[in-house]
Amino acid sequence: MFAIDICAYVVMSNHLHLVLRIDVELAKHWSDIEVVTQWQKLFKGDSLNHDFVKGEALESYQQIIINTRVKEYRSRLMNISWFMRALNEPIARRANAEDKCKGRFWEGRFKSQALLDEAAVLACMAYVDLNPIRAKMAKTPETSDFTSIKLRIKAAIKGEQPNTLLPFVGNEHKAMPKGLMFSAKDYLQLVDDTGRIVRADKRGSMSQESAKILNRLNIPQENWIKLTTEFTKIFKGPVGNTQELTAYCEHLERKRRQGAANCHRWLDNG
């Protein structure tokens, strides 16, 4: 419904983690009717919205109202805050109904971090996918319930990729389709290798395929294990190498680069 792709997710007993990608180009290319239609899948519209979607003639003042709404809806449909609102509200209502109580279900507003380069994206995805293993709720990625990694593994067995997740599209090349710049096979191997080391709680060696990915990302294995076990402890703000972090802060006109020391320590290894 949103112009937002899901790269990775895990649903735990009292919280969830998501790795998201905003698809700005998709939202821009939606027609005005498509924007209103998408919005009405989420929130009940009024008669004016319904008339517009059905293609009925509108008065000039009504068209002005629709134009304003379309601009607002388009912006909201690629906004993570609105995505989280649409996701969390039904969960809270159902939980309160089951517990026969009222009040706040979530402790507070969600926390988000910008992932600025492919190393940050991949490390955060692996951190999310390995949550049940770190919590000793599962022994292997394929037995990790309510995770994107289990969904990817089930699809991979059939030689497919889940249509509900942002796909892996392989290494970079011309006319690149939308997706993650790695092969699905390599990522699954990397998560499996990492999970074995994390679960054993001791040094272990990565497979040749996983070592190639870490070499491409310029991340030593020791750093990778640290990133995939303590990602949210290490980073409190935007995550990426210092070059990307500087560009991000300049774009937002921020004078201070939050977390620059940790970004340099764990992601600047080239």
Side-chain angles (χ1 to χ4, degrees), residues 41-194:
K41 292 177 183 177
L42 294 160
F43 302 100
K44 191 175 181 180
D46 59 17
S47 58
L48 177 57
N49 280 10
H50 291 294
D51 290 345
F52 174 68
V53 170
K54 287 189 290 185
E56 297 188 8
L58 302 180
E59 299 289 344
S60 58
Y61 77 90
Q62 291 177 312
Q63 188 61 54
I64 291 173
I65 294 172
I66 284 293
N67 291 344
T68 301
R69 288 182 180 180
V70 166
K71 183 178 180 181
E72 185 177 67
Y73 295 164
R74 195 187 303 273
S75 175
R76 289 177 178 179
L77 287 169
M78 53 179 171
N79 183 290
I80 289 176
S81 291
W82 276 93
F83 178 92
M84 295 304 298
R85 174 179 175 176
L87 175 66
N88 287 344
E89 277 192 7
I91 295 173
R93 292 181 191 279
R94 287 181 61 180
N96 284 349
E98 288 176 10
D99 295 339
K100 297 179 180 178
C101 68
K102 297 181 179 180
R104 295 177 66 89
F105 174 76
W106 303 100
E107 287 186 6
R109 193 174 183 273
F110 72 94
K111 298 175 183 176
S112 66
Q113 294 171 270
L115 305 175
L116 307 178
D117 57 30
E118 59 182 15
V121 170
L122 212 65
C124 190
M125 285 179 60
Y127 170 82
V128 167
D129 278 328
L130 289 170
N131 253 271
I133 291 178
R134 286 197 309 275
K136 303 190 185 308
M137 296 172 63
K139 293 182 178 180
T140 60
E142 61 267 29
T143 59
S144 301
D145 291 330
F146 315 117
T147 61
S148 51
I149 192 68
K150 183 173 183 177
L151 205 60
R152 290 191 187 278
I153 291 170
K154 287 177 68 177
I157 292 172
K158 302 176 184 176
E160 302 171 351
Q161 294 200 58
N163 57 17
T164 52
L165 298 174
L166 185 67
F168 287 93
V169 294
N171 294 331
E172 203 165 339
H173 56 78
K174 291 183 179 179
M176 174 65 69
K178 181 182 75 172
L180 297 156
M181 308 299 185
F182 298 89
S183 77
K185 181 181 177 182
D186 287 350
Y187 177 72
L188 296 180
Q189 182 68 60
L190 178 62
V191 172
D192 186 62
D193 289 347
T194 307

Side-chain angles (χ1 to χ4, degrees), residues 113-114 116 238 243-254:
Q113 294 171 270
L116 307 178
Q243 182 178 346
E244 294 292 344
L245 181 62
T246 299
Y248 174 80
C249 292
E250 288 176 352
H251 175 70
L252 296 180
E253 298 182 348
R254 294 181 182 177

